Short mmCIF file of all heavy atoms in Angstrom, two decimals:
data_model
loop_
_atom_site.label_atom_id
_atom_site.label_comp_id
_atom_site.label_asym_id
_atom_site.label_seq_id
_atom_site.Cartn_x
_atom_site.Cartn_y
_atom_site.Cartn_z
N THR A 14 50.16 -33.90 15.92
CA THR A 14 49.54 -32.97 16.85
C THR A 14 49.46 -31.63 16.13
O THR A 14 49.94 -31.48 15.01
CB THR A 14 50.40 -32.80 18.11
OG1 THR A 14 51.59 -32.13 17.72
CG2 THR A 14 50.73 -34.12 18.75
N VAL A 22 61.73 -38.38 10.70
CA VAL A 22 62.42 -39.36 9.86
C VAL A 22 63.73 -38.73 9.40
O VAL A 22 63.73 -37.62 8.89
CB VAL A 22 61.55 -39.78 8.66
CG1 VAL A 22 62.35 -40.62 7.68
CG2 VAL A 22 60.31 -40.54 9.13
N PRO A 24 68.18 -39.71 8.16
CA PRO A 24 69.10 -40.77 7.73
C PRO A 24 69.72 -41.51 8.92
O PRO A 24 69.92 -40.92 9.98
CB PRO A 24 70.20 -40.01 6.95
CG PRO A 24 69.56 -38.73 6.54
CD PRO A 24 68.57 -38.38 7.61
N PHE A 25 70.00 -42.79 8.71
CA PHE A 25 70.67 -43.63 9.70
C PHE A 25 72.07 -43.09 9.99
O PHE A 25 72.77 -42.63 9.09
CB PHE A 25 70.77 -45.05 9.12
CG PHE A 25 71.61 -45.99 9.91
CD1 PHE A 25 71.07 -46.72 10.95
CD2 PHE A 25 72.97 -46.18 9.60
CE1 PHE A 25 71.85 -47.61 11.67
CE2 PHE A 25 73.75 -47.05 10.32
CZ PHE A 25 73.19 -47.77 11.36
N ALA A 40 61.29 -57.62 16.86
CA ALA A 40 60.75 -57.82 15.51
C ALA A 40 61.40 -59.04 14.89
O ALA A 40 62.23 -58.93 13.98
CB ALA A 40 61.01 -56.58 14.66
N THR A 41 61.05 -60.21 15.39
CA THR A 41 61.72 -61.44 14.93
C THR A 41 61.40 -61.74 13.47
O THR A 41 62.10 -62.52 12.83
CB THR A 41 61.30 -62.64 15.80
OG1 THR A 41 59.87 -62.64 15.88
CG2 THR A 41 61.87 -62.53 17.20
N PRO A 47 73.77 -59.37 11.69
CA PRO A 47 74.69 -58.89 12.73
C PRO A 47 74.80 -57.36 12.66
O PRO A 47 74.69 -56.78 11.58
CB PRO A 47 76.03 -59.53 12.37
CG PRO A 47 75.79 -60.43 11.21
CD PRO A 47 74.41 -60.23 10.69
N VAL A 64 65.83 -43.75 9.73
CA VAL A 64 65.26 -44.12 11.04
C VAL A 64 64.14 -43.15 11.36
O VAL A 64 64.07 -42.04 10.84
CB VAL A 64 66.31 -44.10 12.17
CG1 VAL A 64 67.44 -45.07 11.91
CG2 VAL A 64 66.85 -42.69 12.42
N LEU A 75 64.27 -48.33 8.30
CA LEU A 75 64.08 -48.95 6.97
C LEU A 75 65.42 -48.91 6.25
O LEU A 75 66.11 -47.89 6.28
CB LEU A 75 63.03 -48.18 6.17
CG LEU A 75 62.79 -48.63 4.72
CD1 LEU A 75 61.32 -48.38 4.34
CD2 LEU A 75 63.68 -47.91 3.72
N ILE A 76 65.78 -50.03 5.65
CA ILE A 76 66.98 -50.07 4.82
C ILE A 76 66.59 -50.61 3.45
O ILE A 76 65.93 -51.66 3.35
CB ILE A 76 68.08 -50.93 5.46
CG1 ILE A 76 68.47 -50.30 6.81
CG2 ILE A 76 69.30 -51.03 4.54
CD1 ILE A 76 69.59 -50.97 7.53
N LEU A 89 62.79 -53.63 7.32
CA LEU A 89 61.90 -52.59 7.87
C LEU A 89 61.37 -53.12 9.18
O LEU A 89 60.85 -54.24 9.23
CB LEU A 89 60.74 -52.34 6.89
CG LEU A 89 59.56 -51.52 7.43
CD1 LEU A 89 59.97 -50.07 7.72
CD2 LEU A 89 58.41 -51.53 6.42
N GLN A 98 51.07 -46.74 14.42
CA GLN A 98 51.02 -45.28 14.61
C GLN A 98 51.47 -44.55 13.35
O GLN A 98 51.62 -43.34 13.37
CB GLN A 98 51.93 -44.87 15.78
CG GLN A 98 51.53 -45.46 17.11
CD GLN A 98 52.57 -45.18 18.20
OE1 GLN A 98 53.43 -44.32 18.06
NE2 GLN A 98 52.47 -45.93 19.28
N ARG A 125 58.11 -63.11 4.66
CA ARG A 125 57.66 -64.45 5.05
C ARG A 125 56.17 -64.57 4.77
O ARG A 125 55.41 -63.66 5.10
CB ARG A 125 57.90 -64.68 6.55
CG ARG A 125 59.32 -65.05 6.90
CD ARG A 125 59.41 -65.40 8.38
NE ARG A 125 60.79 -65.69 8.74
CZ ARG A 125 61.33 -66.92 8.69
NH1 ARG A 125 60.61 -67.96 8.33
NH2 ARG A 125 62.59 -67.11 9.02
N TYR A 135 52.13 -53.74 3.33
CA TYR A 135 52.57 -53.47 1.97
C TYR A 135 51.38 -53.40 1.00
O TYR A 135 51.39 -52.60 0.05
CB TYR A 135 53.60 -54.51 1.52
CG TYR A 135 54.95 -54.32 2.16
CD1 TYR A 135 55.48 -55.26 3.04
CD2 TYR A 135 55.69 -53.16 1.93
CE1 TYR A 135 56.72 -55.07 3.65
CE2 TYR A 135 56.92 -52.96 2.53
CZ TYR A 135 57.43 -53.91 3.38
OH TYR A 135 58.65 -53.70 3.99
N LYS A 137 48.50 -52.26 1.68
CA LYS A 137 47.90 -50.93 1.88
C LYS A 137 48.66 -49.87 1.08
O LYS A 137 48.09 -48.86 0.68
CB LYS A 137 47.94 -50.58 3.37
CG LYS A 137 47.24 -49.29 3.71
CD LYS A 137 47.25 -49.04 5.20
CE LYS A 137 46.49 -47.75 5.52
NZ LYS A 137 46.50 -47.46 6.96
N THR A 167 53.70 -41.17 -16.14
CA THR A 167 52.81 -40.27 -16.90
C THR A 167 53.54 -39.84 -18.16
O THR A 167 54.70 -39.42 -18.10
CB THR A 167 52.46 -39.03 -16.06
OG1 THR A 167 53.65 -38.51 -15.50
CG2 THR A 167 51.47 -39.37 -14.96
#
Side-chain angles (χ1 to χ4, degrees):
T14 68
V22 171
F25 171 87
T41 50
V64 300
L75 176 148
I76 298 184
L89 167 66
Q98 298 172 17
R125 280 186 183 270
Y135 286 115
K137 185 177 182 181
T167 47

